[in-house]
Amino acid sequence: MNPLLPRARVRRAAVAAATTVFALAWLAYGAALAGDFVFDDFHSVASNPALRDLGNLGAYWTDPTLFSAGTGAMYRPALLTSFALNMALDPGAWSLKAGNVLLHASVAVLWFLWAWRLSRRLVASAVVAGLFAVHPLASEAINLVSARSELLAMVGALVALHGHLAWSRGAPVVVGIATTCLGIVIACGAKETGVVVPALCVLQGALAGHGGWRRRLLPSLGRAVPMVLVVVGYLLVRRALLGEATAQLLERPGGDPLTGGGRTLLVQVATMGTLLPGCLLQSVWPWRLSFDPPVVYRTSLVEPAVLAGWATMAAVTLAAFWPGPTARLRRLGAAFAWAVALPWVLIPLNMPLAEHRLYGPLVGLGLVALAAVPRTLPAWSRRLPQPVGWSAVAVLVFAGIGRSTMRSLQYRDERLIWQQELAVRQDSFRAWWGFGTSSLRAGDAAGAVEALGKAHAIYPSYAPPLADFVDALLALPDGSAQPARAVAAAAALRAARPDDPWVRTQQAQALLQQGRVRGDAAAFAAAESAALACLAIAPPKAYVFRLAAAARRGLGDATGALAHLDRSVARGLAPVDLRIERAALLQHLGRGAEARQELLRAQQQAPGDLAVMQALQSLAAPPR
């Protein structure tokens, strides 16, 4: 008999299993391609101009301000690189979501190959990988384009673990160093939790292979040196670019627990103690999946619910680390889950719990599940499962595909997601807030006003929903406007954010709306004052002078309005929109030649601008 035949059969079986796992991921989440951008996708991806220029590929690694469209800096260069390459193919939501599904399918295949190499149980590894591929708990990480960081970080972590495992089993040193370091660069460049990968590689080296763990630990520590150097370099770059290498844990002021910065470490740890057992249960059976999981904030570690929660997590962890024939897999899987979860367990983020953060721990818990397979169904480790076993697997797989598909289809319209949340929890300010902002994006200003009004009423001290509430009120046409409500909301927002110039412009818009709808001269005067007040706290913007000019026009003072626009031009702030407005005022004042010259300047700035062309045609038309 040819001695190579069994090995060839195993290789073909592994390829077939990997292909099946890859296909299952697409079957479960192919419906994601029908979805649209939702929630953070807009400012992080869809509205981020830096992602539409491949010339920024190098800048992603040196400029953290390119991360998002005007919402702060974050250093995730590998993530931005993947977005830019994806958008170069097609910037549509379907394309970016296809990229997410592809990454998830890759994670599932990498996990299968990793688990098989660790356990030498091909069938069991394929079964668990298939269940991971269709698991509904992964739906948020896949359907939220902005959550790609979770998927890409797991790709990097698994690449590094594969490289380390091959290195420890005799692969060339250069190949081992290159693969592990590449994986760590991808993981850290996708998400900050990538810094834990070297520790996981050391643990894998201590647990995998033959002989006692002490004998394996020293070589594993030696192999970790280049990986640690990569992580140290990454942290130094973060410190240089962001001013901090890691997030601050201690000395956080106690305040509003719903905001990350206002939640102390004590409140964070106590609250997570009540949430983590539910997360663990969802990894086994994905029940009550939610875009806005209910959270009860805890202030003491000795509350019964907190003690019970942490005792449950301690008992489960102890069981995973208990000695036994499958202890190595269980320990590595549990350590993986804890390592990637610990940052968001300890660091108070704005949302203490989000489904997409459970993706990484789910990867680690897969090893724990694999370790349990032989104990539950011993035949699986030696021969093909019995028909009953295969039937059970088929039921779970098809159930996962169905549930994951249904979840993905909800992302066709963000309002569907929030409507489902509101059907369960009418008191969720995040659900009302999300429904309101998504309604506003869809053009339903009236629906947005009512939803955002409820969000603000439920949580009046939180400024972001109030800011969106003001935006929705300002989006109402004058025929259905609610000026008194808009002015009151804008005043409350200015009281909450007194040093925010944008808030002052919103207040000016609200007063302009009141002046137009009610013919209120005092409101126009107040609008002018609110707009010009921005100049005292921020660099001048053309928009400020345009608002002030609109207030003057409302007062019937075209000359005063022109003076505001002239001040803007004198400061070098003359965008096309301002020039068009200035030309209209000049024409109104009987200075047609100057108006035409102004429009020609605008045309030089933007030769193909339709608004400029229409203004020129209007100027040339004979009076009626």
Side-chain angles (χ1 to χ4, degrees):
M1 178 181 292
N2 185 351
L4 297 179
L5 187 58
R7 182 174 296 180
R9 283 179 176 173
V10 170
R11 188 180 298 112
R12 285 197 299 270
V15 170
T19 303
T20 301
V21 169
F22 189 84
L24 286 174
W26 278 96
L27 282 172
Y29 287 104
L33 276 64
D36 202 350
F37 293 117
V38 297
F39 204 42
D40 289 347
D41 295 351
F42 289 97
H43 64 77
S44 293
V45 184
S47 301
N48 188 352
L51 298 179
R52 298 178 181 271
D53 184 1
L54 290 180
N56 289 326
L57 287 178
Y60 299 145
W61 299 83
T62 58
D63 186 356
T65 63
L66 298 180
F67 176 76
S68 187
T71 57
M74 190 174 290
Y75 189 61
R76 294 182 178 180
L79 178 65
L80 296 187
T81 300
S82 78
F83 282 147
L85 294 174
N86 204 153
M87 294 183 78
L89 297 175
D90 191 298
W94 77 268
S95 173
L96 287 149
K97 297 206 176 194
N100 277 17
V101 178
L102 179 61
L103 284 171
H104 170 62
S106 300
V107 170
V109 171
L110 285 169
W111 187 93
F112 159 67
L113 296 173
W114 179 51
W116 172 43
R117 294 173 69 190
L118 285 172
S119 66
R120 298 299 183 188
R121 301 175 185 134
L122 191 146
V123 174
S125 297
V127 167
V128 177
L131 293 175
F132 170 80
V134 304
H135 204 297
L137 192 57
S139 60
E140 188 172 289
I142 295 167
N143 285 279
L144 274 178
V145 175
S146 53
R148 179 178 293 190
S149 55
E150 304 289 345
L151 309 170
L152 194 58
M154 288 303 100
V155 169
L158 290 171
V159 166
L161 287 163
H162 270 284
H164 182 270
L165 187 60
W167 188 6
S168 66
R169 292 180 176 178
V173 174
V174 174
V175 175
I177 292 176
T179 307
T180 53
C181 290
L182 173 63
I184 291 171
V185 168
I186 294 172
C188 291
K191 195 173 184 183
E192 296 76 9
T193 51
V195 298
V196 307
V197 176
L200 292 174
C201 289
V202 170
L203 182 62
Q204 175 179 257
L207 293 175
H210 302 287
W213 67 269
R214 291 182 179 85
R215 180 180 176 183
R216 298 189 299 269
L217 180 60
L218 189 59
S220 185
L221 288 171
R223 286 188 289 271
V225 171
M227 294 183 278
V228 172
L229 291 176
V230 171
V231 168
V232 170
Y234 161 75
L235 293 175
L236 290 175
V237 171
R238 272 182 58 88
R239 183 172 181 82
L241 296 177
L242 296 174
E244 61 178 13
T246 58
Q248 181 180 350
L249 287 179
L250 303 176
E251 299 180 1
R252 286 182 174 267
D256 187 349
L258 274 76
T259 61
R263 197 179 317 131
T264 64
L265 183 61
L266 173 64
V267 171
Q268 174 72 12
V269 173
T271 302
M272 294 309 301
T274 62
L275 297 177
L276 289 177
C279 297
L280 188 63
L281 183 59
Q282 284 183 323
S283 69
V284 179
W285 185 253
W287 68 304
R288 292 179 62 184
L289 298 180
S290 172
F291 204 61
D292 179 32
V295 177
V296 177
Y297 292 94
R298 309 288 178 168
T299 58
S300 172
L301 293 175
V302 296
E303 291 185 43
V306 175
L307 288 174
W310 280 114
T312 299
M313 297 307 298
V316 172
T317 304
L318 181 62
F321 279 82
W322 200 258
T326 60
R328 292 180 178 181
L329 281 179
R330 286 187 278 107
R331 290 169 180 174
L332 181 57
F336 189 110
W338 270 117
V340 296
L342 206 56
W344 57 262
V345 169
L346 295 178
I347 297 174
L349 303 174
N350 276 352
M351 291 185 67
L353 179 61
E355 264 183 44
H356 63 268
R357 296 187 206 138
L358 302 180
Y359 187 83
L362 192 63
V363 172
L365 292 174
L367 279 188
V368 180
L370 176 62
V373 168
R375 184 178 297 276
T376 305
L377 297 170
W380 286 29
S381 63
R382 297 190 297 269
R383 62 180 183 272
L384 288 177
Q386 298 295 326
V388 174
W390 279 119
S391 299
V393 170
V395 168
L396 291 175
V397 167
F398 281 110
I401 291 173
R403 180 74 169 121
S404 298
T405 298
M406 290 175 62
R407 289 273 291 169
S408 295
L409 290 175
Q410 290 177 340
Y411 286 77
R412 292 171 297 166
D413 185 336
E414 186 179 334
R415 289 173 293 180
L416 297 176
I417 300 171
W418 295 121
Q419 283 173 341
Q420 182 185 24
E421 298 295 329
L422 291 170
V424 179
R425 294 174 56 211
Q426 283 281 311
D427 62 341
S428 169
F429 93 91
R430 290 190 191 277
W432 284 115
W433 181 20
F435 184 71
T437 54
S438 56
S439 296
L440 188 59
R441 281 194 294 269
D444 181 10
V449 164
E450 295 311 309
L452 291 167
K454 290 179 180 178
H456 174 57
I458 293 172
Y459 191 5
S461 63
Y462 193 45
L466 176 58
D468 291 329
F469 181 42
V470 173
D471 283 340
L473 287 165
L474 295 176
L476 291 172
D478 286 354
S480 57
Q482 303 175 37
R485 203 175 180 188
V487 169
L493 183 61
R494 181 169 175 175
R497 293 179 174 175
D499 298 325
D500 188 335
W502 177 252
V503 168
R504 297 190 183 191
T505 64
Q506 287 181 300
Q507 185 178 35
Q509 287 188 72
L511 290 164
L512 284 172
Q513 185 187 72
Q514 179 164 302
R516 291 192 308 271
V517 172
R518 296 185 175 179
D520 187 345
F524 283 124
E528 181 182 34
S529 176
L532 296 177
C534 297
L535 301 177
I537 60 173
K541 301 286 186 183
Y543 182 51
V544 168
F545 293 105
R546 290 176 61 199
L547 287 174
R552 279 285 115 192
R553 287 199 305 272
L555 290 169
D557 182 7
T559 302
L562 182 62
H564 282 309
L565 299 185
D566 287 344
R567 288 174 61 192
S568 183
V569 173
R571 291 172 179 258
L573 305 172
V576 171
D577 289 345
L578 183 140
R579 289 194 181 278
I580 294 174
E581 290 180 19
R582 187 171 184 273
L585 282 170
L586 288 167
Q587 179 70 10
H588 176 73
L589 292 170
R591 297 158 63 178
E594 293 178 67
R596 181 172 178 78
Q597 288 298 318
E598 187 69 359
L599 289 177
L600 290 175
R601 294 188 193 98
Q603 190 176 43
Q604 289 177 347
Q605 284 182 231
D609 191 289
L610 182 60
V612 176
M613 296 173 63
Q614 290 175 339
L616 281 167
Q617 290 174 357
S618 176
L619 194 65
R624 296 183 179 181

